[in-house]
Structure formats: structure tokens, C-alpha cells
Amino acid sequence: MRAGPLLSLASALLLSSLLLWPASVAAEPGFVEGVEDLPLMDGLAALPDAGLSFDAPEGRIVVAYAKGQVSPETVIAFYASTLPQLGWQRLSERSFQREKERLSLEITRDSQGLTVRFTLAPKSR
């Protein structure tokens, strides 16, 4: 008769781990929040509550932030080499364009490290 409670306990543990699994996968770093195909550079961590994302009649607008202990030059070099492989055309050191969208990177430094602001918006006509 003891197999019943043990089986129930094992089932409960399995079910709870399956329920937690999608949350842990979603929290893994890899892409800039709100832009599913914009990689987040190693060394940067997303600041998920700092940004915004919405659809406008002209296209989507996303502002996302990431922070890390990296140099501005490393960030610029990473995105300058990575984004063209994803179809982005480099317009300037910190600005890129793909189809009808423009991406800009704003890099600031403070005592806590480096912050990158990613702004994706419809390109102006």
C-alpha cells in the first residue's frame, strides 16, 4: 500500500518540474528582450523591467536595456560583426537598418558598469 503515496509524490515532483521548465528556458540569456533575432552579447545581462515594446501603425517600437562589465569597443565590435550576418546594414558605428526598421545602440558607463540601450523603430522616411 505504500507504493501509492510514493507514486503520487514522484508524480507531483515531476509535474512541478515540468511546470517550472518553461520559465527557466525563457529566462536564459541569448537575445535582446522584445527582439527575437537580436543576439545579446556575452557579458551583457538584460534589464527586463527597464524597457518597453509596442506596435505602432508604422511598425514595432522596442527599447531594451542590458548591462555588463564590458568595454564600449567590445560591444561595438560585436554588433558590427554580428548584425550584418543577420541582414542588418551598418549606417554608422552604432546604427543599423534592415528592411523597414532602424536599430540604434546607445552606450553609457557608470560606477555599476556599462549599459546598452537598444532602440528598434520604424525607419524614418
Side-chain angles (χ1 to χ4, degrees), residues 15-116:
L15 179 60
S16 65
S17 67
L18 288 175
L19 291 174
L20 293 175
W21 181 72
S24 65
V25 170
E28 287 182 10
F31 294 93
V32 173
E33 188 169 321
V35 189
E36 63 280 348
D37 63 345
L38 179 58
L40 185 61
M41 184 185 101
D42 284 344
L44 292 176
L47 300 175
D49 296 331
L52 63 93
S53 177
F54 62 92
D55 289 324
E58 302 81 26
R60 66 183 173 160
I61 297 173
V62 178
V63 178
Y65 293 86
K67 196 165 193 68
Q69 298 295 326
V70 295
S71 72
E73 296 80 17
T74 303
V75 172
I76 292 167
F78 174 80
Y79 287 104
S81 67
T82 303
L83 292 177
Q85 297 174 40
L86 299 171
W88 291 93
Q89 175 187 7
R90 189 172 182 181
L91 301 176
S92 69
E93 185 178 66
R94 299 177 187 190
S95 181
F96 302 84
Q97 181 175 305
R98 181 174 67 181
E99 297 174 10
K100 298 178 182 179
E101 295 180 312
R102 179 162 289 162
L103 172 68
S104 63
L105 309 176
E106 181 181 320
I107 301 171
T108 57
R109 184 187 302 263
D110 62 20
S111 61
Q112 302 297 312
L114 187 100
T115 301
V116 181

